[in-house]
Amino acid sequence: TLDELREFDVSYKSNSRSLILKNVANRLQVFEADIMEIKTIKGNDTAAIGFEFSALGNRYSYYYESKEIMRMK
């Protein structure tokens, strides 16, 4: 996981090398390091359709197709 990679190589905390995470951080006005606890969201056929994550005490979901970020309750 990205969280494990960040423990191994701290440079991934500020630069995940992911355009999606850079976009998410920019849209939420947070640093990439603030995006944590990433978990895959799978569709009916078990293919990844997005991911859930935490940022600054809130939980969000991001869907690849729509590029939508939703705050979860």
Side-chain angles (χ1 to χ4, degrees):
T1 68
L2 180 58
D3 292 322
E4 292 170 329
L5 182 58
R6 286 173 167 171
E7 287 179 25
F8 177 76
D9 183 344
V10 295
S11 71
Y12 280 84
K13 286 186 179 185
S14 60
N15 183 1
S16 65
R17 292 136 177 105
S18 165
L19 293 177
I20 292 172
L21 289 183
K22 289 180 190 318
N23 178 271
V24 167
N26 185 45
R27 289 169 58 189
L28 293 178
Q29 298 181 333
V30 300
F31 295 106
E32 281 188 66
D34 296 324
I35 299 172
M36 302 178 293
E37 301 172 357
I38 297 171
K39 299 195 184 323
T40 304
I41 300 171
K42 295 186 178 186
N44 293 335
D45 63 356
T46 69
I49 61 170
F51 60 94
E52 295 180 5
F53 63 96
S54 296
L56 301 179
N58 295 305
R59 192 84 182 145
Y60 298 91
S61 58
Y62 175 89
Y63 292 91
Y64 298 128
E65 189 173 315
S66 66
K67 298 180 173 60
E68 183 177 11
I69 301 170
M70 295 174 43
R71 186 172 172 187
M72 302 169 69
K73 292 185 179 190

